[in-house]
Amino acid sequence: MTADTARGPRGKNLTLLTASTAMDNAESSVTTVLFPLMRDAMGLTSSALGTLVAVAKVVGMFAGIPWVLLARKFRRKVVLAVCSGFWGIWIILAAMAGDFTQFVVLYGIAAAGFAGAGPIALEILGDLYEDNRRGRVTGLLYGGVALIAGVSAPLFGRLSGLENGWRYGYLASGVMCLIVGVLILVFLDDPRPAAPQQLTAAVAIEDKARTVRSGLRELAGIQTFRLILLQRLCSGQNVMMSFGVVFLVEERGFSTATASVVALPFSLGYLGGTLVGGRVNDRLHQLRPLSGRVVMLQISQLAFAGVALICIQAAWHSIGFFVLVFAFLGFLQGQVPVVNRPLIMAVVRPELRALAFAVSVSTVEAFAYAGYALLTGFLGDALGLQNALLIVTVLLTAFNGLASAALYRPYARDSAALLEMSREGSPDLGPPLSTTK
């Protein structure tokens, strides 16, 4: 069987990987859009939204790596179908929760499954496409995720007219997960079949632990990877959309149904940002292979901080104005993954990319998202949501954009080292690419 035949139609595989990654976002869209209804039904405050977001991300921090280990032992597409698809049964159960505590527990269990989807999908994506195309295909993946979330959010918003509309939203989200799980299991082509492992249970556990320890040591030795983790720890951009609808309801006086319409332009903008950003990123990488991606990362972050400042400070009461502003925010936010993910792929060996994404996306980004969601919720209760978003999404993002300049020299060195290693060939879990402290 040739490599091309083994890979199968790339468009079909990319669509399925996009759908698997979108499941976590679909569930987040329900929470973001219908939280005002849940808040009224259960007597909650803004900090409860921060708690929900934080619980999902904190659980994901610990769940991501175990899913990656399972994907090493079993077929990746089977593990992906379980964690991003069939795990949706927990969302269905959450829709039936009797109180907020039950809901949080079931919501957290659901998040534990979805945490595995991103790293596994990105590893498969990295195997399917060569380096000079990863920017645009990553853009297509995250653009598709945004489009699914953007289209579904206003639909969920229409449920605000029903007494238990938020429950119906979660039920629909869970059913979609189950459908996606079946499609992945039947149609996804995995270009790297699982290696047979005829090991005893004790030896298998020891082998997995040794592999993870060795892999983590290698990742820790890559200075660019360490700096990317630090950069993601300082990123507060994601909370803007998580709290955007609630901000428009509480601070600008819109109804839930009206405020939810900004999710679609944000997602369409995000789609545009990933598609355009992916191509621009690939072009900059070709023109300036040692610095182009870092330049784009800085520009997108600083521009996002500027537009977020306009969004938060503007006292307009026209939803049309916020539709336009959220579209710009989505466009700029969409450029983050198409730069960040190829940055990691360029300095981490293929054998370690799933582990790298489990650490960076499912652990570090989740930890940052959880912390800033909690911070925004509690600051919102104490200072008002407008001031909370000003601190987290404007000031912090601006600082992060400036501080990302620290990536230039390490990225140039580490990406060149990996390129040279790939030309010479390297064994699994070889020596670290860089040991610069």
Side-chain angles (χ1 to χ4, degrees), residues 252-284:
R252 296 296 178 261
F254 295 106
S255 67
T256 298
T258 300
S260 67
V261 303
V262 301
L264 180 58
F266 181 90
S267 297
L268 292 176
Y270 191 100
L271 173 61
T274 56
L275 296 179
V276 175
R279 291 183 177 275
V280 172
N281 182 34
D282 285 345
R283 182 59 177 163
L284 279 176

Side-chain angles (χ1 to χ4, degrees), residues 41-124:
M42 297 184 177
L44 308 174
T45 64
S46 295
S47 60
L49 176 57
T51 299
L52 281 178
V53 175
V55 165
K57 299 305 176 182
V58 169
V59 169
M61 287 170 49
F62 299 98
I65 292 178
W67 285 112
V68 170
L69 293 178
L70 286 173
R72 284 179 177 269
K73 182 174 177 59
F74 304 102
R75 296 183 68 189
R76 291 187 297 187
K77 78 171 188 177
V78 173
V79 179
L80 184 62
V82 172
C83 66
S84 68
F86 303 130
W87 212 260
I89 189 66
W90 293 103
I91 286 293
I92 294 175
L93 293 175
M96 304 174 185
D99 55 44
F100 187 66
T101 301
Q102 290 181 13
F103 179 84
V104 170
V105 171
L106 294 168
Y107 190 78
I109 295 174
F114 297 139
I120 297 172
L122 287 169
E123 183 186 49
I124 296 174

Side-chain angles (χ1 to χ4, degrees), residues 236-244 304 308 311-312 326 329 389 393:
Q237 290 175 245
N238 289 329
V239 300
M240 187 64 199
M241 195 57 228
S242 294
F243 285 84
F304 184 95
C311 178
I312 294 167
F326 272 85
L329 285 173
L389 291 174
T393 64

Side-chain angles (χ1 to χ4, degrees), residues 24 101 152 176 180 243 296 302 314 331 434:
D24 186 25
T101 301
S152 61
M176 286 191 294
V180 168
F243 285 84
M296 188 168 174
L302 294 173
F331 182 84
S434 169

Side-chain angles (χ1 to χ4, degrees), residues 46-231:
S46 295
S47 60
L49 176 57
T51 299
L52 281 178
V53 175
V55 165
K57 299 305 176 182
V58 169
V59 169
M61 287 170 49
F62 299 98
I65 292 178
W67 285 112
V68 170
L69 293 178
L70 286 173
R72 284 179 177 269
K73 182 174 177 59
F74 304 102
R75 296 183 68 189
R76 291 187 297 187
K77 78 171 188 177
V78 173
V79 179
L80 184 62
V82 172
C83 66
S84 68
F86 303 130
W87 212 260
I89 189 66
W90 293 103
I91 286 293
I92 294 175
L93 293 175
M96 304 174 185
D99 55 44
F100 187 66
T101 301
Q102 290 181 13
F103 179 84
V104 170
V105 171
L106 294 168
Y107 190 78
I109 295 174
F114 297 139
I120 297 172
L122 287 169
E123 183 186 49
I124 296 174
L125 190 74
D127 289 343
L128 285 168
Y129 294 90
E130 55 276 8
D131 185 59
N132 63 358
R133 296 187 63 194
R134 287 176 185 151
R136 77 185 69 175
V137 296
T138 305
L140 287 170
L141 185 145
Y142 281 97
V145 169
L147 184 60
I148 292 171
V151 171
S152 61
L155 296 177
F156 290 140
R158 302 304 299 174
L159 297 174
S160 62
L162 302 177
E163 181 180 356
N164 291 306
W166 66 273
R167 295 186 186 274
Y168 299 137
Y170 282 108
L171 283 171
S173 179
V175 170
M176 286 191 294
C177 289
L178 298 178
I179 293 172
V180 168
V182 173
L183 294 176
I184 290 172
L185 200 59
V186 175
F187 295 110
L188 181 66
D189 299 309
D190 187 347
R192 191 200 306 167
Q197 296 186 11
Q198 302 298 329
L199 303 174
T200 65
V203 173
I205 292 173
E206 182 181 352
D207 180 68
K208 290 177 186 177
R210 183 169 57 250
T211 300
V212 171
R213 288 196 302 268
S214 181
L216 290 175
R217 282 197 300 269
E218 179 171 342
L219 292 175
I222 304 172
Q223 187 181 17
T224 299
F225 186 72
R226 296 199 306 268
L227 289 173
I228 289 174
L229 296 186
L230 184 60
Q231 188 266 335

